[in-house]
Amino acid sequence: MNEFAHIELDEKRFADQTLDYILNNQNTCLESSLFIRILDPRIKYGDLNDHIEFLKERLSHLEFFIDYDTVKFKNKMSTCQVLETDNLGRVFDNSRILTPLMLEKENFSKEIFWANPKEQENYHKISQFNSFEDKIVDEKKLYNVLINSPFFNVKGWMLYYQELLDLKFSEFSEKIVSGKMIIKYRPFKGKYFIGIETDYQSCKINFRKGWWEAPEYRLIIFEKVDTKKITRMVIFEKFVHPHFSPPGFSFLWFLGSKTMYDVNEIEIVMDNGTRKEFLSDGTVRLYNTNKFEDDYKRHAYYYYDMLHQTTKEYIKFIEESFDSEE
């Protein structure tokens, strides 16, 4: 148990609330989230009400840390590993063989999710942008540029992320823009507000390196000084449910699942979809096949929905832990 001014976070109570949430949401589109950290994809669990003690143990490894005004967490829950022995007697981690099983779980959850016509409608409204952009480069600089492929449409993805946040976290209806920092917020308790804070700059940098990642969000509780100035009371380092971190496959992991292929038991090849067209003027057109463009956009949409569903429970716990009278 930790204390900081207005907040006291009880890991045991949070584990109990998370257990209830899991039991109430089994056999829904949330279920694939359970197999990222909590459940083993090789096991058919059936009714999770028959595995209460197992789930309690899995949820018992979380600890919150409060340093001045910042809340961090560490979850020591062990992840599923597949340890094998090679022909020389050496032990190696072969957990990548779990990937097809985890994808199977996620694809089933996505089938449930996309069966909702409203989600399909909303997706098509905001996803009409090109995921990648072409580049024309001097042939002499080809491989210096190619190292940063694939070439994402950074502006398009940044706008998409912001639209997803607006859509899925519509209850955070107010916005403060201060420099590169954007805070979407709503009333919290008394004079306090709660907000989702992000600086998209690090995400833009990663995109330009060819890495597909979600922005880094923080949850903050604050007081307003004026329309653009605030005083942060509590900063939650990561805006994610500590037991569902991440709530879906990370974007970089999902990209890898689409672009990496097993040649044999020890060899992997990667094809990220970037192609070269040598032009007559000594330049090269670099472009992407867009084979998985819809998959990437849909995964991001699904991920934000799972982030919203799980963090609602986290915010509820925070709200119950916050005493605005102190």
Side-chain angles (χ1 to χ4, degrees), residues 144-179:
N144 288 334
V145 176
L146 196 59
I147 195 172
N148 291 320
S149 69
F151 305 105
F152 290 97
N153 175 2
V154 178
K155 183 177 180 180
W157 277 104
M158 291 298 99
L159 290 174
Y160 188 49
Y161 288 157
Q162 291 176 49
E163 287 181 300
L164 284 172
L165 198 66
D166 289 343
L167 175 66
K168 294 300 178 181
F169 293 86
S170 58
E171 65 271 29
F172 292 83
S173 56
E174 302 295 322
K175 183 181 292 187
I176 295 173
V177 179
S178 180

Side-chain angles (χ1 to χ4, degrees), residues 83-94:
L83 299 179
E84 296 185 358
T85 305
D86 63 18
N87 54 10
L88 297 178
R90 295 172 299 191
V91 176
F92 67 99
D93 187 350
N94 195 27

Side-chain angles (χ1 to χ4, degrees), residues 295-310:
D295 290 332
Y296 297 151
K297 292 177 185 177
R298 284 181 178 272
H299 181 71
Y301 187 103
Y302 172 80
Y303 182 97
Y304 270 75
D305 190 87
M306 294 299 100
L307 181 66
H308 178 248
Q309 295 300 330
T310 54

Side-chain angles (χ1 to χ4, degrees), residues 195-212:
I196 304 168
E197 179 184 67
T198 185
D199 178 350
Y200 287 93
Q201 193 61 31
S202 63
C203 191
K204 291 179 182 178
I205 292 171
N206 288 331
F207 265 131
R208 293 190 176 106
K209 293 177 181 179
W211 302 344
W212 185 46

Side-chain angles (χ1 to χ4, degrees), residues 5 7-8 13 47 51 55 67 91 96 109 117 127 143 163 191 205 255 297:
I7 197 162
E8 182 176 308
R13 182 166 62 84
D47 187 348
H51 303 276
L55 289 170
D67 181 11
V91 176
R96 66 190 179 93
S109 289
S127 63
Y143 291 102
E163 287 181 300
K191 62 183 178 180
I205 292 171
L255 177 72
K297 292 177 185 177

Side-chain angles (χ1 to χ4, degrees), residues 58-103:
R58 296 296 285 161
L59 298 174
S60 67
H61 302 281
L62 175 70
E63 187 172 359
F64 289 107
F65 300 92
I66 298 177
D67 181 11
Y68 184 51
D69 61 354
T70 302
V71 177
K72 301 180 181 181
F73 67 81
K74 187 170 185 178
N75 196 340
K76 296 181 180 179
M77 181 194 306
S78 60
T79 55
C80 295
Q81 273 189 312
V82 180
L83 299 179
E84 296 185 358
T85 305
D86 63 18
N87 54 10
L88 297 178
R90 295 172 299 191
V91 176
F92 67 99
D93 187 350
N94 195 27
S95 298
R96 66 190 179 93
I97 66 173
L98 298 177
T99 297
L101 296 174
M102 295 177 73
L103 281 173

Side-chain angles (χ1 to χ4, degrees), residues 311-325:
T311 53
K312 276 196 308 185
E313 296 300 308
Y314 189 32
I315 293 171
K316 177 184 174 183
F317 166 72
I318 291 169
E319 192 160 15
E320 292 171 350
S321 304
F322 193 91
D323 181 2
S324 60
E325 297 304 317

